[in-house]
Amino acid sequence: MALCSLCRGVPFDRIPPLPRFLKETGWLRLGPGLCFLEPQTYGFTRPDEFGWRYHPDLDSLKNSAPTCVLCSLVHREVQGFIHNVHHGERVGSNALHYKSDKPKRYSFQITGRADEEGFVIWTDDGPNDRIWYVAVFGYGVDEDPLAQIFRGRVVESDASLAKCAVDWVTNCNHHHNCAPESSSTAFPTRLLDIGDSPSSLIKLRETKGGHGSYTTLSYVWGKTPQLTTTTANYNAHLEGLSLHAFPKTMQDAFAVTRRMGVRYIWIDALCIIQDNTLDWQQEAAKMGHVYANSYLTISAAGAADNSDGCFIPRPIRNCATFHYTTWDNINGKLNVFPVPIENETGRMSIQSMPEEPISNRGWCLQERALSRRTLFYAKSQMYFECKEEFSSEDGMRIQGRFLPIDQSSKPISWTNIRTMRDAWDEVVEDYSRRKLTKITDKLPALSGLAERFAQILHDKYLAGLWQNTLFGDLLWNGSYSTPWPPETYISPSWSWAAVDTCQRTFERYRQLDPSEFTPLALIISASVHTAGANPYGEVDGGKIVIQAPLVPVKVVKDLQGDPEGVRERHGYFGFTAAQPGGHLHYGVLDYQINYDTLGGLPVFALVMGRDNIVGEYPGLLVIPDILGGHYSSGGYRRIGFIKLNNTAFAVPSPWWGRAYPIVTLM
């Protein structure tokens, strides 16, 4: 099928750029694939024509679709858009207000994308009214003369055939800070020697202080029995195993390593003796350096199990393929494919790859963040990330990287320290929702990143928190997802590591301005005791001695504000200060403690200070140490977070002006 005369006239290599008023207008998302902009809200006046005029109405597009390969593709996407308009789910903060909104007409215009190759098709409601995203398209080429014009490649079903992986790494080798010098790169304690050919035995090597290039594998172990190195099979692994003895993911990683011209690869399951506690602790403590010094990290991002492999089949994309001649008279075959609108309006979320199994595994966060560069074999296509950019197989390119970590050891400014502390909050929020096979790995699996942050911040690490910002770090929010009472000791109760997931910490920098935050608590001392050789790894104890108001509170049913108990089911409980006529304050629990159990506990609010902006007193919900085990008698343990309102400290108050008690948080 050829192109119609209208599509033949579209200058695909010189599409009109996205106008400024579209770039700088915030978009409103009503649901999946349904977004619009209101330029006039941002003070912009736009012309009626702002891009390349495409079909003037739906009938024109529909009539052209049977005989034009591009119109046929566009028509399918427009039909999907119309379905979303009339029948799609409306979600998000804007959905209710704009529930019945839909375009008033369909008159299509084409502009370039924000920062990528391809184009956007828009429709609008008339001059100075809403403009709707209708569809987004990207470009892909094969080994073709057009490859010098368009960077996107056709995504083949078989990822092993993709040619851009080597090109990405080769180009990255010219970046100043990306590729380590092989002559100065120290080998890890052990590596796998993959030999010269696929028929070579794969041998475990004791490197004994050598130097050179090696790759690393980041993957999900999954439920299939994992091939590991143990004390029993250690000598057999030194002698070597055939390729077929390894799970599919490792086999594919060996193939990628060979393609990169590298002979050695590091895989945690095989290069650490898994049943030797001392070896595991020592080598796990080095993992940050192992990934940071790797020539390339190979991420089996789309594999949910070690038996899936890196080269999982990718879905074949709907494409319009046609011959095209550029403005500079370069001829070739161009492939145009649809891109989800969410990828255009939420490009930065693509970097986090939320739909990939790798993004759910705890260990893989630091493996990615500390690697100089990573090649991702995802479910739909490959991605490549280095210190300079994040790229996709189909041509997307985003400057910068996910969780940028400064690799230098030079002192940084206070502004940058604040930026890095905010980055640590992002790390914690991302990491705390991920899964671990062994819950006791909660701190070890983040220890490489913690060590790197400690070097950057010049700060003392305290089981996930930092000494210089400890006051604000203590005020994190839990998620009511951790069973009560906790069965396994992971960390002190005041650390977010003690619970399954946590949300952002309190805005710690308000405390720097007395007009915004008045501290009432004084941290006297803080310490943790590590369980092994890794100072950033597993802990078996810790305490904070703090002087602060300790207000007894009592849980109550909020029959007026929450008659159905919806908040309670999500961990939000009402409390009153235990005094006559106490007002209602809300707290959120870290643990799944029900109302009856909570009512039988002696609960206190350990008040940290006063937020002068909103007039509230943020603090910790604590109980006396009644669990025994790791927690010393006479101490308190955290069970949640609370904000008391002004009535708790209204004059006269039994707690105001009194010398505050000194308590120990365990």
Side-chain angles (χ1 to χ4, degrees):
M1 194 185 301
L3 295 179
C4 65
S5 58
L6 182 61
C7 290
R8 283 198 300 271
V10 177
F12 294 102
D13 58 322
R14 297 199 177 194
I15 293 284
L18 196 66
R20 176 173 169 261
F21 75 86
L22 290 179
K23 276 188 175 181
E24 298 182 13
T25 296
W27 50 269
L28 295 172
R29 179 177 182 269
L30 303 188
L34 205 56
C35 300
F36 67 76
L37 304 96
E38 292 182 324
Q40 71 279 6
T41 303
Y42 289 77
F44 290 108
T45 301
R46 64 166 178 84
D48 191 33
E49 294 193 14
F50 53 86
W52 184 272
R53 268 292 173 194
Y54 198 45
H55 288 281
D57 51 48
L58 280 173
D59 286 341
S60 173
L61 175 62
K62 180 180 178 180
N63 292 336
S64 182
T67 57
C68 173
V69 64
L70 183 57
C71 288
S72 176
L73 179 66
V74 172
H75 185 243
R76 284 198 298 270
E77 293 301 304
V78 171
Q79 286 181 311
F81 171 78
I82 294 174
H83 178 272
N84 288 336
V85 166
H86 293 281
H87 307 291
E89 182 185 9
R90 301 291 177 99
V91 296
S93 58
N94 302 306
L96 184 63
H97 184 69
Y98 297 101
K99 187 173 182 179
S100 61
D101 282 35
K102 54 182 67 69
K104 299 174 183 175
R105 67 178 187 179
Y106 289 96
S107 178
F108 304 108
Q109 298 188 54
I110 295 175
T111 71
R113 297 172 63 184
D115 297 295
E116 308 298 337
E117 295 176 339
F119 58 92
V120 182
I121 294 183
W122 309 84
T123 191
D124 61 88
D125 290 347
N128 296 321
D129 211 334
R130 289 182 190 140
I131 303 174
W132 295 77
Y133 281 94
V134 176
V136 182
F137 296 89
Y139 301 146
V141 295
D142 284 311
E143 297 302 314
D144 185 282
L146 289 179
Q148 60 186 298
I149 304 298
F150 303 112
R151 64 174 177 267
R153 297 295 177 259
V154 175
V155 178
E156 304 282 355
S157 175
D158 187 351
S160 67
L161 301 177
K163 303 177 180 65
C164 58
V166 175
D167 293 338
W168 277 332
V169 175
T170 301
N171 292 334
C172 181
N173 283 338
H174 298 292
H175 297 164
H176 179 64
N177 289 321
C178 290
E181 292 289 339
S182 61
S183 60
S184 60
T185 301
F187 278 153
T189 304
R190 304 178 191 93
L191 287 169
L192 292 170
D193 182 349
I194 64 174
D196 299 319
S197 70
S199 61
S200 299
L201 290 179
I202 311 297
K203 298 181 179 181
L204 183 65
R205 298 286 194 193
E206 297 174 342
T207 60
K208 299 178 181 178
H211 293 73
S213 296
Y214 63 92
T215 65
T216 42
L217 176 63
S218 180
Y219 68 114
V220 176
W221 283 30
K223 297 182 179 180
T224 301
Q226 177 73 22
L227 177 65
T228 61
T229 294
T230 64
T231 52
N233 64 22
Y234 188 77
N235 289 334
H237 286 191
L238 291 175
E239 294 174 3
L241 301 175
S242 66
L243 179 65
H244 299 294
F246 296 86
K248 185 67 166 59
T249 297
M250 294 184 187
Q251 293 182 32
D252 290 349
F254 298 156
V256 176
T257 299
R258 271 195 201 92
R259 191 177 301 170
M260 298 297 164
V262 179
R263 180 164 181 152
Y264 300 101
I265 184 171
W266 189 92
I267 300 176
D268 56 358
L270 298 172
C271 295
I272 300 176
I273 305 174
Q274 297 294 319
D275 61 348
N276 184 319
T277 301
L278 180 59
D279 188 76
W280 190 92
Q281 289 179 345
Q282 291 175 340
E283 296 304 311
K286 301 174 185 176
M287 284 180 63
H289 300 283
V290 170
Y291 281 90
N293 292 327
S294 171
Y295 178 79
L296 173 70
T297 292
I298 302 161
S299 174
D305 190 272
N306 67 74
S307 63
D308 292 343
C310 297
F311 309 141
I312 56 177
R314 288 99 64 89
I316 298 176
R317 298 188 175 191
N318 291 323
C319 283
T321 304
F322 49 87
H323 287 281
Y324 178 67
T325 301
T326 70
W327 186 273
D328 298 323
N329 207 34
I330 298 173
N331 298 286
K333 191 177 289 186
L334 182 63
N335 298 271
V336 175
F337 55 86
V339 174
I341 288 177
E342 288 79 5
N343 287 14
E344 185 72 7
T345 57
R347 295 169 66 249
M348 299 308 291
S349 66
I350 299 172
Q351 284 183 291
S352 64
M353 297 188 286
E355 304 302 321
E356 306 297 337
I358 201 81
S359 298
N360 293 319
R361 185 182 178 229
W363 283 96
C364 294
L365 177 62
Q366 73 168 6
E367 292 169 4
R368 176 180 182 181
L370 294 173
S371 296
R372 291 173 178 266
R373 53 193 186 186
T374 304
L375 178 63
F376 300 94
Y377 286 90
K379 289 187 287 189
S380 62
Q381 62 175 316
M382 289 193 308
Y383 299 97
F384 180 76
E385 180 176 67
C386 67
K387 288 188 174 184
E388 296 196 3
E389 63 187 22
F390 179 88
S391 304
S392 70
E393 196 172 347
D394 62 12
M396 182 192 65
R397 183 178 294 170
I398 300 174
Q399 293 300 311
R401 60 178 293 170
F402 177 74
L403 291 178
I405 307 298
D406 185 351
Q407 297 287 343
S408 70
S409 298
K410 299 176 182 178
I412 58 177
S413 67
W414 169 239
T415 300
N416 287 336
I417 286 177
R418 291 183 60 168
T419 299
M420 292 307 296
R421 278 301 288 109
D422 291 341
W424 178 258
D425 283 353
E426 294 178 16
V427 167
V428 169
E429 193 166 11
D430 186 319
Y431 179 72
S432 67
R433 64 171 178 76
R434 294 176 179 238
K435 306 301 180 185
L436 292 162
T437 304
K438 294 171 59 181
I439 189 61
T440 51
D441 287 350
K442 189 73 171 282
L443 290 171
L446 199 64
S447 62
L449 263 176
E451 180 182 9
R452 187 70 201 101
F453 270 86
Q455 294 168 350
I456 296 170
L457 298 171
H458 303 288
D459 203 350
K460 183 180 180 181
Y461 184 67
L462 295 165
L465 281 58
W466 300 95
Q467 183 166 277
N468 289 341
T469 52
L470 186 57
F471 193 100
D473 287 358
L474 289 169
L475 294 167
W476 46 269
N477 281 340
S479 64
Y480 198 58
S481 60
T482 306
W484 177 265
E487 297 178 358
T488 305
Y489 184 82
I490 305 300
S491 76
S493 67
W494 41 262
S495 169
W496 55 263
V499 301
D500 289 347
T501 57
C502 85
Q503 302 171 15
R504 282 296 185 93
T505 56
F506 182 70
E507 295 176 15
R508 67 180 56 74
Y509 297 111
R510 281 187 180 177
Q511 65 180 287
L512 300 177
D513 187 344
S515 67
E516 294 184 348
F517 189 87
T518 303
L520 295 176
L522 173 67
I523 296 174
I524 298 172
S525 65
S527 62
V528 296
H529 185 268
T530 55
N534 184 358
Y536 302 96
E538 190 174 352
V539 301
D540 55 15
K543 64 181 181 179
I544 293 176
V545 179
I546 185 169
Q547 185 175 25
L550 190 65
V551 181
V553 294
K554 183 178 181 180
V555 65
V556 295
K557 289 279 188 183
D558 183 10
L559 299 178
Q560 182 175 358
D562 188 28
E564 303 296 326
V566 175
R567 292 177 180 173
E568 184 178 315
R569 287 194 293 273
H570 289 84
Y572 289 88
F573 287 83
F575 293 87
T576 59
Q579 59 174 321
H583 289 71
L584 196 65
H585 318 275
Y586 276 101
V588 58
L589 298 187
D590 303 331
Y591 301 93
Q592 294 175 332
I593 308 175
N594 61 39
Y595 178 85
D596 292 334
T597 300
L598 191 62
L601 295 175
V603 184
F604 296 83
L606 186 67
V607 182
M608 300 298 289
R610 185 180 192 274
D611 184 337
N612 299 323
I613 303 298
V614 295
E616 295 177 330
Y617 294 81
L620 311 182
L621 286 171
V622 299
I623 60 173
D625 175 27
I626 57 175
L627 297 179
H630 286 277
Y631 302 98
S632 303
S633 60
Y636 289 79
R637 65 166 295 140
R638 173 187 161 132
I639 62 166
F641 172 81
I642 191 170
K643 287 184 178 180
L644 282 74
N645 56 46
N646 275 316
T647 60
F649 285 92
V651 178
S653 165
W655 308 291
W656 193 259
R658 180 184 296 180
Y660 301 142
I662 296 175
V663 301
T664 301
L665 291 178
M666 309 302 291

